Amino acid sequence: MAPIDPYKVGVVTDTRTPLPEPDHEAAEGFWLRYLAASDVDERTRYTDLTSFGDSVELADELLELILSGRKRATAGSIADYELEGIAIPQAGDRWIACDGRGVPRVVIETTEVRVGPLSSVDEQFAWDEGEGDRTRDDWLRGHTEYFQRTHADAGLEFHPDIPIAFERFEVAYEEL
C-alpha cells in the first residue's frame, strides 16, 4: 500500500470539504469519561478542541494515522494560533482531537514543543509525524503546500521560515 499523502487531499480536485465546528456538548461528555477513566485531577480542563488539518477529508486521514499509532507529532503555524486566539501548546497540555464531523475521538497529551522556522524540521520529527513517506524532504514539501494554502485562506503572509510549533504527543484516551 502506498503511503498516505494527506496534503494531496483535495489539492488536485479541489474538493476539500470545510470542517464543521467541533461538537462542544459531546466534548464535555467525552472529557468527563476521560477523567473517570484516568487518574487526572477532575478539575483539569482541556486546552483545545479541534480537528487536524483544514478539511473533513484531511482530519479523518490524520486521525486514522493517530489511531493506528503511526502519528505522534504535529506542526502548527504560530500565526494560526495567534489568529485563532489559541495558546501555543506546552508540554503537559491535554486537548481533544475530533474527526472530520467534529466528533471528539481522542485526548492528546502534549509531551514536547519546540518553536522554530518551518525549515528547521529534522528527520526524526518528520518520521514521528507519520505522514507521506515520513522523510524530511516529503514533510517539508507537504507542509509548505499546506501552510501556503491555509495562510492564503486566512489572509496571512507565507514565507519559507514561518514560525512553527513542532509538537510531540501521546494519546491519553480514545473512543472508537
Side-chain angles (χ1 to χ4, degrees):
M1 180 168 102
I4 295 171
D5 188 352
Y7 302 99
K8 290 296 185 188
V9 174
V11 171
V12 174
T13 62
D14 199 27
T15 58
R16 290 180 284 134
T17 307
L19 286 165
E21 284 295 314
D23 186 334
H24 291 273
E25 186 175 322
E28 289 302 317
F30 183 82
W31 185 254
L32 291 174
R33 290 189 299 278
Y34 161 65
L35 291 175
S38 71
D39 59 358
V40 174
D41 185 308
E42 66 185 29
R43 296 170 293 186
T44 302
R45 296 297 303 154
Y46 52 91
T47 58
D48 197 9
L49 172 66
T50 191
S51 298
F52 284 87
D54 64 342
S55 68
V56 167
E57 297 82 7
L58 185 53
D60 287 340
E61 286 192 30
L62 296 176
L63 182 64
E64 286 306 314
L65 291 174
I66 291 166
L67 294 172
S68 74
R70 180 176 164 134
K71 180 175 179 63
R72 289 296 180 264
T74 191
S77 163
I78 299 300
D80 286 339
Y81 288 118
E82 291 171 350
L83 183 67
E84 294 174 21
I86 298 170
I88 296 168
Q90 298 179 27
D93 284 354
R94 290 181 179 88
W95 53 282
I96 298 174
C98 299
D99 63 19
R101 296 173 295 136
V103 176
R105 295 288 304 277
V106 297
V107 173
I108 302 286
E109 182 172 356
T110 303
T111 58
E112 175 187 324
V113 178
R114 178 183 68 82
V115 175
L118 178 66
S119 63
S120 71
V121 67
D122 60 32
E123 288 287 347
Q124 187 60 56
F125 189 88
W127 179 264
D128 292 344
E129 201 163 329
E131 301 166 23
D133 71 8
R134 301 178 91 170
T135 64
R136 180 188 183 279
D137 288 344
D138 188 62
W139 186 98
L140 197 53
R141 178 199 52 76
H143 282 76
T144 296
E145 290 173 9
Y146 175 79
F147 289 124
Q148 284 175 329
R149 181 175 76 234
T150 59
H151 276 221
D153 289 349
L156 297 170
E157 184 179 334
F158 174 84
H159 56 85
D161 282 327
I162 60 170
I164 297 293
F166 296 94
E167 178 182 1
R168 294 180 193 283
F169 61 81
E170 294 297 329
V171 173
Y173 179 76
E174 68 181 72
E175 288 182 359
L176 301 177

